Each structure stands twice: as structure tokens, then as C-alpha cells.
Amino acid sequence: MRIRTVHTVPVLAASAALLLAAAPGQAAPQHQAAPARCAAKALDIHAKAVKGRTTVVRFSVTNSGSRACLVDRAPTITFGELDGAALPTPEGGRGTYRLDAGRTAYGAVRTIGDPSDPEARRSPSVGVSASASQYGRDFSAARLGTGREVRVWEPVTTWWQPTRAKADKAIGLG
């Protein structure tokens, strides 16, 4: 027991001396806590169909809160009473996306590949949510600019992107 104490004290003293002598930039990095999930009330969501391409809807989410927060990496896009949601492209949409205070993230959804597809379903609205655990916001077909309905078959959505141009590129618009 004495041997252990004798060896431990000099090691502890030497370690303390090194830490105290280290310049501030060389000290061990402090861990910063990750931002919390965004509260639904802190998010402003907007959506509109691409002019001349009613099968593609652009949407955005703005963090109107005073701190950075996290949303799901891929938005949740639903279609009225139809079962299912748009699949993220590329696959693997799990994870989070950091949305700084006052910043906006962009996305797009292709509701159908071929509007004349006989398998197409029709929905009166599109729901956009920044996270699967939140209700988000519903947009009627008329408000989106898609006519009386939104035609849907095998829809795909982008991950959140920092610019509208990157969201357009991810969905194949640019």
C-alpha cells in the first residue's frame, strides 16, 4: 500500500504542474453541449410548388428562436390522408441538422415521377414537418399552386440543405 502511495503522489503532482503550466490554447478542450431539439413553436415552415413543375414542391424551415437547435436531417413530408411519407434521397436520412438562430434550411419533394402514371394517388394537401415527432404544417394543393390536388406516387424528398440551390440540385432541378 505504501509503495502505491509513494508512486502516485509524484505522478499526480507532475500532472497538476503540467496542466497549470500549459498555455490556455494547449489545455484540454472543453466539451460543449449539443443544441437541444427545436421546439415546434420556434420554427416557421413555408412551401410552394415550383412554377411550371407542379410535381415538385420547395419548402423551408426558419429557426425564429434565439438559440441554435436541431431538426431531423430529413424533413417529414406527408400527403393528406394517404399512408406513408416521402422517402429521403439519398437514403440514410437519420440524424440531425443544426439550425442556427435566425437561419433557414431548404428542401424539396418530388411528388411523382410521371404525372400520367395510372397508379398515381391524389391528395388535397402536403404536410411538412422539420422533425418526425412534430406535427409541422399542412399546405392545401391550391395554396401550393398544384391545382385542386397533389398527384403522388413514390415521392422522394431531400435532406435539409443550407441553400435553395443545393435543395434543387439534390432533387434534380439544377
Side-chain angles (χ1 to χ4, degrees):
M1 179 92 61
R2 255 186 188 188
I3 294 173
R4 188 176 254 176
T5 304
V6 171
H7 291 293
T8 305
V9 172
V11 170
L12 288 175
S15 297
L18 284 173
L19 286 174
L20 291 174
Q26 296 174 336
Q30 293 183 358
H31 178 68
Q32 292 183 343
R37 285 285 188 160
C38 295
K41 66 183 178 182
L43 300 175
D44 295 323
I45 299 172
H46 300 278
K48 194 76 171 166
V50 173
K51 190 172 185 165
R53 295 189 77 168
T54 59
T55 61
V56 178
V57 175
R58 288 182 178 130
F59 48 87
S60 64
V61 61
T62 301
N63 177 359
S64 61
S66 61
R67 295 188 173 170
C69 59
L70 301 174
V71 295
D72 289 348
R73 178 181 294 153
T76 299
I77 309 299
T78 57
F79 301 92
E81 299 297 318
L82 299 177
D83 288 341
L87 296 175
T89 183
E91 293 181 21
R94 291 192 175 151
T96 57
Y97 182 89
R98 180 187 172 105
L99 193 55
D100 289 330
R103 302 295 295 184
T104 301
Y106 302 88
V109 60
R110 186 178 339 98
T111 64
I112 188 170
D114 177 6
S116 64
D117 190 328
E119 304 253 2
R121 303 294 183 253
R122 289 156 180 78
S123 174
S125 63
V126 172
V128 180
S129 178
S131 295
S133 62
Q134 297 173 346
Y135 286 111
R137 184 170 172 198
D138 285 329
F139 298 89
S140 69
R143 184 177 185 138
L144 289 170
T146 63
R148 293 187 349 245
E149 59 194 19
V150 177
R151 296 181 59 79
V152 182
W153 189 250
E154 299 180 340
V156 294
T157 186
T158 64
W159 293 5
W160 289 114
Q161 301 292 327
T163 66
R164 179 170 285 127
K166 286 187 177 187
D168 284 355
K169 185 176 180 181
I171 204 73
L173 285 180

